[in-house]
Amino acid sequence: MKKLLLLLIMFAPLAVSAQKGNEMNLWPEGPSTSNGDPDDMAKVTVFLPDEKKATGRAVVCCPGGGYQHLAMQHEGFDWAPFFTSQGIALIVLKYRMPHGHYTVPAEDAEEAIRLVRRNAEQWHINPKDVGIMGFSAGGHLASTVATHASGDAAPNFQILFYPVISMEQGTTHQGSRTNLLGKSPKRKLVNEYSNEQHVGKHTPRAFITLAYDDRAVPALNSLLYYNELYASQVPASLHIYPTGGHGFGIRQSFAYHLEMMLELKAWLKSF
């Protein structure tokens, strides 16, 4: 049975090439805040499940890349079959790089969630079941929105892969911190974007996963975040695999790919 499941999961990504999403400009009338680069446009690619399979759930996906670039494939588009096969819509966000304007990525992510809710009826989505998922720096972005957003921009759940959470020296990923906040950010700004400091009862439930041997983003980021979620009585699931390094995404070369996919699937079914 396990071998059969492994084969099913292994071959699922092959369907990506046949499954085309609908690409949309996130800000058709221009963004509220410019990052100074007119060629860096925020977009979303929408992957919808078959209407008969649709559960009403949706996930906005934020690929990683240290707030410098985006790993759109294995931390974005390649996830579409996994979600749509379960009746879950996947909305992959190409958010803009900060370029000295630290509010830009979160503005894009919050607008992507609003976009999903504005189109909820047309896309067969329950506006009260919209989550956010992020990888590495995209995990920082996802957790920023999960801890700071309100109203129609606030997600109902969060999925974080090897996330950057804190901006504190010694804990953060230095490249992500520098690219987002600059070389010498003020203490107030560091506190504002150290998301472990902003967890509360309002924070949505979380699935967090990483590898023990991650040498890019210290595990302390996830541990601090999980501890604060636990202290605030927010349901959270933390998975630390023995090996895998950083940036494995949905790649089948990750030794614990099968276990991770099954555990995420089980978590999604748990609420």
Side-chain angles (χ1 to χ4, degrees), residues 30-269:
S32 53
T33 301
S34 172
N35 69 347
D37 183 357
D39 295 324
D40 184 15
M41 298 176 62
K43 299 178 181 179
V44 293
T45 304
V46 182
F47 297 89
L48 299 178
D50 185 276
E51 288 183 20
K52 295 178 181 179
K53 275 190 171 184
T55 62
R57 178 166 288 174
V59 173
V60 172
C61 176
C62 306
Y67 286 121
Q68 185 179 45
H69 64 276
L70 294 176
M72 295 297 294
Q73 209 64 44
H74 73 287
E75 294 180 351
F77 304 137
D78 289 353
W79 281 90
F82 172 77
F83 285 103
T84 57
S85 66
Q86 298 176 70
I88 301 171
L90 181 69
I91 297 84
V92 180
L93 171 64
K94 177 198 169 293
Y95 54 94
R96 293 169 296 148
M97 298 298 97
H99 299 314
H101 303 270
Y102 56 84
T103 64
V104 162
E107 287 179 8
D108 287 352
E110 290 187 8
E111 180 63 15
I113 292 176
R114 292 192 191 98
L115 175 70
V116 172
R117 291 189 168 125
R118 286 199 299 269
N119 289 277
E121 184 176 355
Q122 178 184 350
W123 294 350
H124 304 283
I125 288 169
N126 176 358
K128 295 182 179 180
D129 199 6
V130 180
I132 193 163
M133 176 168 74
F135 302 76
S136 193
H140 181 264
L141 176 56
S143 63
T144 298
V145 174
T147 53
H148 290 68
S150 59
D152 58 359
N156 300 108
F157 58 92
Q158 54 183 316
I159 303 169
L160 308 177
F161 285 77
Y162 36 87
V164 180
I165 295 291
S166 184
M167 289 287 111
E168 294 286 355
Q169 292 284 18
T171 302
T172 190
H173 173 252
Q174 191 61 47
S176 297
R177 171 180 151 131
T178 300
N179 290 329
L180 182 66
L181 304 182
K183 292 183 178 180
S184 301
K186 293 182 179 179
R187 166 46 55 184
K188 183 177 179 181
L189 199 57
V190 170
N191 291 346
E192 181 67 15
Y193 283 89
S194 292
N195 295 327
E196 74 279 9
Q197 299 182 27
H198 300 280
V199 172
K201 294 187 182 300
H202 65 283
T203 307
R205 67 178 68 230
F207 179 95
I208 308 167
T209 188
L210 65 151
Y212 171 80
D213 61 350
D214 189 331
R215 298 292 178 259
V217 176
L220 186 57
N221 284 267
S222 293
L223 297 174
L224 287 171
Y225 197 58
Y226 177 83
N227 187 60
E228 293 300 326
L229 291 166
Y230 182 83
S232 295
Q233 298 182 328
V234 176
S237 181
L238 176 63
H239 303 266
I240 304 177
Y241 299 103
T243 60
H246 187 76
F248 47 81
I250 200 172
R251 287 174 175 154
Q252 295 169 28
S253 57
F254 175 46
Y256 298 93
H257 174 79
L258 172 62
E259 288 82 356
M260 179 190 73
M261 300 290 268
L262 292 176
E263 286 166 349
L264 177 54
K265 188 173 184 178
W267 182 80
L268 287 165
K269 287 185 174 181

Side-chain angles (χ1 to χ4, degrees), residues 5-16 81 252 257:
L5 287 170
L6 177 60
L7 287 172
L8 288 172
I9 290 175
M10 285 180 63
F11 284 106
L14 297 179
V16 171
Q252 295 169 28
H257 174 79

